[in-house]
Amino acid sequence: MRKFRAPVKIVLFLSSYVPLFFIMALKFGKIPPLLIAGYKIPFIDLPYIDFRLYISYLSIGILVLCVLFTALLYRMVTVHSSRATTQEPVDKYQKRSELLSTYLLVYVFVFAGLNFTTLLDLGIFLVFFVILGVLQINSEILHVNPMLGIRGYQVYEVTSDEQVILVISKSSLEEKMILPETKTADNPRKKIEVVSLGRTTYLAP
């Protein structure tokens, strides 16, 4: 089993919250110093809606980090997809893509009235985020990344007599099943080729 180093785990954790950081970048758009202050978007004029654009240097910095974390995540997936695979037996499986939404809890903080321009609210969020990071970095849920869901990856729970594992796959798991050559084979069960990501989490390349 391949073990991720601590920096890689941190990148995996941070990349799972890229949509959150993008939302926060929009919220920080009016925090000085500003790169663009009140630019009037042409051809859009609706009553009671301010379509002026504000972009701060802080927002630009956060957006650059979003791009960086996303690129590193997809690079790691590409690298691991090319690694040597093992075959895991499959007795039954079910789609568990709802696990990708487990990260949405943190998004509540952004919309729950926290004002990130005050030290108190910013401190509350950072303490919560650090604790969440420690828990997720030390758990298998770290590999179930919503940014992979955006790219079309699905999460499957695969059950066999030996264990229950999570398999992340971009295409249907049924398409990747390896059937036994004969019904009288030593192990007449379906199998799937996977790359280990953790103790019970695998990637189906």
Side-chain angles (χ1 to χ4, degrees), residues 136-202:
Q136 290 191 351
I137 286 174
N138 292 297
S139 72
E140 291 293 298
I141 199 66
L142 175 68
H143 309 98
V144 183
N145 194 307
M147 292 302 292
L148 295 179
I150 293 176
R151 285 286 298 270
Y153 285 83
Q154 303 289 335
V155 180
Y156 294 88
E157 183 180 83
V158 175
T159 304
S160 67
D161 291 340
E162 290 80 7
Q163 60 183 341
V164 177
I165 62 175
L166 291 178
V167 176
I168 302 170
S169 175
K170 193 168 185 178
S171 59
S172 171
L173 212 59
E174 184 66 32
E175 300 175 2
K176 299 184 177 182
M177 290 293 178
I178 301 174
L179 301 177
E181 294 182 1
T182 64
K183 293 184 178 180
T184 59
D186 293 336
N187 191 352
R189 292 187 294 178
K190 295 179 179 180
K191 294 183 178 180
I192 184 171
E193 289 190 339
V194 292
V195 178
S196 175
L197 297 178
R199 293 186 301 274
T200 60
T201 310
Y202 296 81

Side-chain angles (χ1 to χ4, degrees), residues 10 53 61 70 73 91-92 103 120 123 126 158 163 165 180 203:
I10 293 174
L53 181 63
T70 302
L73 170 66
D91 290 331
K92 62 179 181 178
Y103 290 83
L120 178 60
L126 289 177
V158 175
Q163 60 183 341
I165 62 175
L203 173 68

